[in-house]
Amino acid sequence: MGLRADIALGHLAGRKRQTSVSLLGVAMGVGFFIGIAAMMQGFQEYFIAKIIDVSPHIVMKDEYRRPPLQPAQRRFEEGAVFLSGVKPKDEPRGIKNGGTRVAELSQLSGVAVAPVLSEQIILRYGSKDVSSELLGIEPARERRVSNLEHDLIVGNLDDLFTVANGVILGEGLAEKLGAVAGDTITALSTAGVVMKMKIVGIFATGITQMDNGQSYALLKKAQVLSDRPNVINRVRLRLDDVEEAEALARQIERRYAYRTESWQESNRNVLGIFVIQNGIMYSTTGAILVVAAFGIFNIISTVVLEKTRDIAILKSLGLTSRDVEAVFLLEGLIVGVAGSLLGWAIGYGLVQLLASIRFEIEGFTKSEGFKLDYGFEHYAIAATAAILAAVFAAYLPARRAARVDPVETVSYTHLRAH
């Protein structure tokens, strides 16, 4: 092995410029992969963690995924029946037998359940009117299905019981109103009910849509405000194992018929974007590694052509075809390993540079900088891909070198000399 390594290192050292370019190509591919992967994976993990922590894992709604079939459609299910101008049945919205549904779902193992009444209202403070989604909750159950209590920056959930009509606002919603904790605001529902409410708490989840548009009150108060006594239109569930959410949501929907969405379904569009992001990341960095692999292929192919006579002499001195092939594969391996190590250093530097950048941005979430993943997994994937690409690039010229016939090569060289 020592002789093979000496020969391989000698070949690479003899073409310093080409070797350096190929080495740098591998290193740049590895380094950029680590930096981009840390940034993208970090944001994806942050987003998913936020969704899982802030929102319930499953939500049952007072609506149906598909409208119920009309009697004529049920009677002639396989027939050519077309109905037009059918108006939806005018019936009160809400989950029928909501209390019973909550009690039944509460029997499931590893599941916490909370009833909710969601209502669009107008909040008024002075001359400012702001729309909000008011969620009527039961604090004892709500604290088991969401992190609302942990997200409160002012007050606590039990403060809803301390005043006649308490309300908790999102941080952005309070800023829009220009109100603070302790202020009394006016709430107007779509049913025309007007209620004076006192701000007893303010929460900040970091998710802009929630902080700017949601408010919470006791379930009974929300029912009075919306003029819907004893009605709920949402059932929120939180699971011990978040990966079971999609399967359980389908089971619940089959059982009760109400539209039931898991956190994966509710955020499917964004999760789909993550797949595209990963595809772009792997394609871009993969292209860099492919270019670097061509450089390695060029170096070793050139060495094989230039060293054909030397290869023949080595084989005549006792080196086997396998030994010769191993020499050139070792050259590719050396470039791949050295480039990966250098790429690790570049990648680590890029991650630290990204971590030092500070900016404030408010989109779906609020952020004060890049969300980064510092795991070793990206380093391992990048190095493995780089080494495999380098060895594969060296394989074809190595096979050509292994097939060199020492007798024909030396005879041909001797004839040319004469």
Side-chain angles (χ1 to χ4, degrees), residues 60-63 92-103 105 113-118 136-138 141 219-220 222-223 226 228-236 258:
M60 179 199 290
K61 304 179 179 180
D62 65 334
E63 59 187 62
R93 291 290 300 271
I95 296 174
K96 295 179 181 178
N97 301 318
T100 303
R101 302 286 181 258
V102 171
L105 292 171
V113 184
V116 171
L117 175 62
S118 174
I137 61 172
E138 294 179 352
R141 288 183 177 273
L219 178 58
K220 291 297 182 182
Q223 289 169 342
S226 61
R228 301 167 76 182
N230 302 317
V231 172
I232 62 171
N233 59 6
R234 299 284 188 273
V235 177
R236 291 143 66 95
Y258 288 113

Side-chain angles (χ1 to χ4, degrees), residues 160-417:
L160 290 172
F161 296 107
T162 61
V163 297
N165 300 314
V167 64
I168 296 174
L169 304 182
E171 184 180 31
L173 183 58
E175 289 178 358
K176 287 180 181 179
L177 286 169
V180 297
D183 289 339
T184 299
I185 59 178
T186 302
L188 173 64
S189 71
T190 55
V193 179
V194 179
M195 180 182 291
K196 293 289 185 180
M197 307 188 80
K198 185 175 181 179
I199 302 174
V200 296
I202 295 176
F203 67 87
T205 64
I207 297 181
T208 306
Q209 183 179 4
M210 296 178 67
D211 293 343
N212 288 353
Q214 284 189 351
S215 54
Y216 292 85
L218 291 177
L219 178 58
K220 291 297 182 182
K221 301 299 180 182
Q223 289 169 342
V224 171
L225 181 61
S226 61
D227 194 21
R228 301 167 76 182
N230 302 317
V231 172
I232 62 171
N233 59 6
R234 299 284 188 273
V235 177
R236 291 143 66 95
L237 296 87
R238 190 175 185 87
L239 284 61
D240 291 342
D241 185 357
V242 297
E243 298 301 327
E244 295 180 359
E246 195 157 11
L248 181 58
R250 288 196 295 267
Q251 293 176 18
I252 293 172
E253 185 167 323
R254 283 196 298 268
R255 180 176 179 180
Y256 298 112
Y258 288 113
R259 185 183 184 99
T260 307
E261 296 181 352
S262 64
W263 67 270
Q264 294 100 322
E265 181 181 353
S266 300
N267 299 280
R268 186 156 289 162
N269 290 340
V270 179
L271 297 177
I273 292 174
F274 290 165
V275 175
I276 297 173
Q277 281 184 340
N278 290 336
I280 294 173
M281 174 183 68
Y282 284 111
S283 299
T284 303
T285 54
I288 298 174
L289 290 177
V290 167
V291 172
F294 273 112
I296 296 170
F297 175 82
N298 180 55
I299 293 173
I300 299 177
S301 295
T302 304
V303 169
V304 169
L305 291 174
E306 291 181 350
K307 304 293 184 180
T308 301
R309 185 171 181 275
D310 294 347
I311 294 169
I313 293 173
L314 289 173
K315 294 185 77 171
S316 67
L317 293 176
L319 264 68
T320 64
S321 296
R322 187 176 296 275
D323 292 329
V324 172
E325 183 176 341
V327 167
F328 292 98
L329 287 175
L330 190 58
E331 292 180 23
L333 181 63
I334 290 171
V335 174
V337 171
S340 296
L341 293 175
L342 180 58
W344 280 5
I346 294 174
Y348 180 80
L350 282 174
V351 172
Q352 296 306 312
L353 176 62
L354 291 171
S356 67
I357 298 174
R358 285 289 174 266
F359 57 85
E360 290 188 6
I361 186 171
E362 183 173 334
F364 185 86
T365 62
K366 292 181 180 179
S367 178
E368 296 181 352
F370 291 110
K371 304 298 180 182
L372 301 170
D373 178 33
Y374 296 94
F376 183 73
E377 178 184 359
H378 303 139
Y379 292 81
I381 292 174
T384 301
I387 292 171
L388 289 176
V391 173
F392 181 76
Y395 177 74
L396 292 178
R399 290 285 295 169
R400 182 189 300 172
R403 288 197 294 267
V404 170
D405 187 333
V407 176
E408 291 183 4
T409 302
V410 172
S411 299
Y412 178 73
T413 304
H414 180 74
L415 289 172
R416 288 189 61 187

Side-chain angles (χ1 to χ4, degrees), residues 137 139 142-143 148-149 152 155-161 168:
I137 61 172
E142 182 65 24
R143 58 170 48 100
L148 175 60
E149 190 166 43
L152 286 169
N156 60 71
L157 278 182
D158 291 333
D159 288 340
L160 290 172
F161 296 107
I168 296 174

